[in-house]
Amino acid sequence: MIDVLIVDDNPIVRVAIRGYLAGIEDMRVVGEAPDGRTAVTMARRLCPNVTLLDHRMPIADGLSVVTQLSEHTAALVLTSDTADELIAAMLRGGASGYLVHGEFDPPELVRAIRAVASGQGWLSSRGASVTIAALRDQAARERDQASQVDQLRLVRQGFGLTRREQDVIELLCAGHSNAAIGRRLLLTEKTVKNHLHHIFTKLRATNRTEAVLRWSGRQ
């Protein structure tokens, strides 16, 4: 038996969903909540398998409570809101699914409830589009980051620093003083100063700030 909690500020919507689910043999509505705050309290007490969660509600909207709800139940968002930012935020917050009113029929709602109750996800066509776009953006960002790392690696190779000089400049970039660098690398301050002299020459830097900027690829 799949226990369902209905969260919507519209009593007509709640009655309609409850009435339909009453005819589904493997589902049972265990409660209704008109706002997010009440929903969290009920979810903690009832631990329903699935919570049908609206977004626009008084006191606390769906987005503000979806993470808390997800600790006790699988949250299936059921709303008319189609903003990409909201869909992405709901999914990041822990929602197991997202259905948009007008894009699904009662049988699909039942399939979605069964899916999220079993640990799967369920998205409307709009939700799927947002998810795909987010994955593409993430992949593009990762490619850009990888490219930047490769470019920085090539730039650093061009400076010709020894392994020990690289250790010194990394600690310099982390904000350590000469004395602190010496303690970490088991070097005297004089040896650290000598390394810094060679580093400045190779990086064509006149001071510590320039050296850090050039080693970091920002100059």
Side-chain angles (χ1 to χ4, degrees), residues 102-202:
E103 293 188 2
F104 66 93
D105 55 16
E108 182 178 354
L109 174 60
V110 170
R111 293 194 297 272
I113 292 173
R114 287 173 177 155
V116 299
S118 66
Q120 302 176 49
W122 195 279
L123 296 174
S124 65
S125 57
R126 185 61 182 166
S129 297
V130 170
T131 302
I132 292 172
L135 290 173
R136 287 175 175 168
D137 289 344
Q138 179 181 352
R141 287 193 299 271
E142 291 175 351
R143 287 195 298 270
D144 288 342
Q145 291 172 354
S147 177
Q148 291 172 5
V149 169
D150 289 340
Q151 291 175 4
L152 181 58
R153 185 181 295 114
L154 288 173
V155 169
R156 288 179 171 179
Q157 287 176 354
F159 292 133
L161 269 60
T162 65
R163 179 67 261 179
R164 179 56 81 186
E165 289 168 349
Q166 291 178 36
D167 293 337
V168 171
I169 189 64
E170 289 291 349
L171 290 173
L172 186 68
C173 290
H176 293 289
S177 65
N178 289 2
I181 293 172
R183 286 193 298 272
R184 284 177 172 265
L185 299 180
L186 302 178
L187 302 172
T188 65
E189 280 195 60
K190 181 179 180 181
T191 300
V192 172
K193 288 180 180 179
N194 288 336
H195 282 309
L196 287 174
H197 173 73
H198 295 305
I199 290 170
F200 289 177
T201 300
K202 292 178 179 180

